[in-house]
Amino acid sequence: MAKRFANKSAFITGASSGIGAAVAEALAREGARVALAARRIEKLDDVRKRVESASGVALPVVCDVRDKASLDEAVRKTVEAFGGIDIVLANAGFGVVGQFARLDTDAFRAQFETNVFGVINTIYAALPHLLESKGRLGIVSSVQGRVAMPSSSPYTASKFAVYGLAESLYHELAPKGVSVVCIQPGFVASEIRKVDNNGVFEARRRESAPNGLIVPVEKAARDIVDALYRRHFDAVITGHAKLIAGLSRHFPRLTRAIILKSTGGNVDPRDKPKRRSPSKTP
Ligand SMILES: NC(=O)c1ccc[n+]([C@@H]2O[C@H](COP(=O)([O-])OP(=O)(O)OC[C@H]3O[C@@H](n4cnc5c(N)ncnc54)[C@H](OP(=O)(O)O)[C@@H]3O)[C@@H](O)[C@H]2O)c1
């Protein structure tokens, strides 16, 4: 079968782990040369080896999406190696969670620096090359960029922001031949729920998402690659996310009522009222 991205090149942020790494491998299997951008070089090297062992071409480029200069340099190295960029996936992100009252302005600022300004930095660095190739821009939001959940107001707000950014750019870039695809995953197996509010990975953290709702990252990556190929704006990934996004679009009040009823306004275990130990006296 013909490879859908033969002779194309991709620049992927957050490619050292989870969704970004899996999309890099999937795009490489479809013929694309992939630039792998993130901070942890040893993890990028693992992904490079996996791509190369499947006869693909990968270029690790260390960068921090909060730092525009390091993104400019990563894009420059990519263009130098591949001759241009046809696909950009602005994917790097993490989640600041907890009840609003426990957090502060700095927590919001840190969340927005990576999840929102990191995406903006990526787009400014790569856009001239996408305009030249009439390429594809994938922006990773979340189903939480469409439906708000309690105990994660910084993450939810950042993903709503990214959804709005993507939709605005869809209108601006379509006439110029660049498609924008806004990727909105539900629960996907990755490191994200093991990363703390400072963006640090903690191996001993437990997966907090309900087991039955977590989709394997390879399946999510295949769906993301299909969405990029089709150039359709809305790409809601996982059946559970499609259900919630659909319910919220058609029945917003009902969806809010269900979420409030089922969460009690708080899904942070630290704030759940502790069970009283049974009293010894009547
Ligand atoms: N998994 C899910 O259930 C889910 C659901 C909805 C949306 N998403 C979104 O999907 C995206 C990818 O997350 P994931 O689930 O694959 O999580 P992950 O396994 O934790 O991967 C996050 C990636 O982002 C990179 N990253 C974080 N901060 C960075 C920075 N400042 N500069 C450069 N790279 C940075 C990390 O690499 P380094 O640490 O090496 O820099 C890593 O490669 C995120 O935007 C997330 O919000 C995930």
Side-chain angles (χ1 to χ4, degrees):
M1 213 165 65
K3 294 187 171 180
R4 291 183 293 179
F5 289 102
N7 302 318
K8 304 285 184 201
S9 67
F11 179 83
I12 301 167
T13 68
S16 63
S17 163
I19 292 173
V23 170
E25 291 185 64
L27 277 174
R29 277 194 300 275
E30 294 271 10
R33 290 158 295 166
V34 289
L36 313 168
R39 294 164 301 179
R40 290 171 295 174
I41 183 62
E42 52 316 324
K43 302 266 289 179
L44 290 176
D45 256 334
D46 291 343
V47 181
R48 176 185 61 78
K49 283 178 197 149
R50 292 205 294 275
V51 169
E52 288 177 353
S53 70
S55 306
V57 177
L59 174 75
V61 279
V62 174
C63 78
D64 185 330
V65 296
R66 296 168 297 185
D67 174 5
K68 173 72 167 49
S70 87
L71 263 167
D72 287 343
E73 180 59 10
V75 165
R76 193 195 61 73
K77 284 181 183 157
T78 303
V79 172
E80 188 178 82
F82 295 160
I85 299 177
D86 304 282
I87 305 146
V88 170
L89 188 67
N91 162 75
F94 76 110
V96 174
V97 298
Q99 288 273 287
F100 182 85
R102 271 190 184 275
L103 302 168
D104 56 21
T105 309
D106 287 343
F108 276 81
R109 215 182 293 285
Q111 181 71 102
F112 273 61
E113 278 298 337
T114 299
N115 287 17
V116 182
F117 289 103
V119 170
I120 292 169
N121 285 338
T122 304
I123 299 170
Y124 273 121
L127 189 57
H129 306 286
L130 283 181
L131 289 168
E132 206 167 295
S133 62
K134 299 200 185 307
R136 295 165 161 87
L137 171 60
I139 297 179
V140 180
S141 173
S142 165
V143 70
Q144 263 183 265
R146 310 297 300 282
V147 184
M149 292 296 290
S151 307
S152 56
S153 52
Y155 183 73
T156 299
S158 75
K159 293 300 181 178
F160 267 73
V162 158
Y163 185 88
L165 171 73
E167 196 162 51
S168 204
L169 290 185
Y170 165 85
H171 295 299
E172 289 186 27
L173 298 180
K176 298 179 173 148
V178 176
S179 56
V180 177
V181 176
C182 185
I183 294 142
Q184 303 145 58
F187 294 124
V188 175
S190 78
E191 289 184 354
I192 194 164
R193 283 167 291 275
K194 293 188 170 191
V195 173
D196 70 14
N197 281 0
N198 299 312
V200 178
F201 174 70
E202 286 180 12
R204 61 190 169 78
R205 273 197 176 204
R206 286 197 11 234
E207 171 61 77
S208 55
N211 234 335
L213 299 180
I214 303 174
V215 167
V217 73
E218 297 78 13
K219 159 85 178 105
R222 282 196 299 275
D223 291 349
I224 291 169
V225 168
D226 285 348
L228 289 168
Y229 182 73
R230 289 197 309 269
R231 296 181 184 261
H232 284 177
F233 177 76
D234 265 315
V236 184
I237 308 294
T238 86
H240 175 243
K242 284 189 178 108
L243 182 72
I244 301 204
L247 193 68
S248 168
R249 190 171 318 125
H250 299 295
F251 307 104
R253 285 177 62 184
L254 175 67
T255 310
R256 271 196 294 276
I258 293 171
I259 292 173
L260 179 54
K261 176 95 178 144
S262 60
T263 63
N266 184 7
V267 294
D268 184 343
R270 292 171 305 179
D271 292 309
K272 293 276 182 206
K274 294 220 167 40
R275 278 227 189 113
R276 286 235 198 100
S277 46
S279 171
K280 286 180 184 145
T281 50

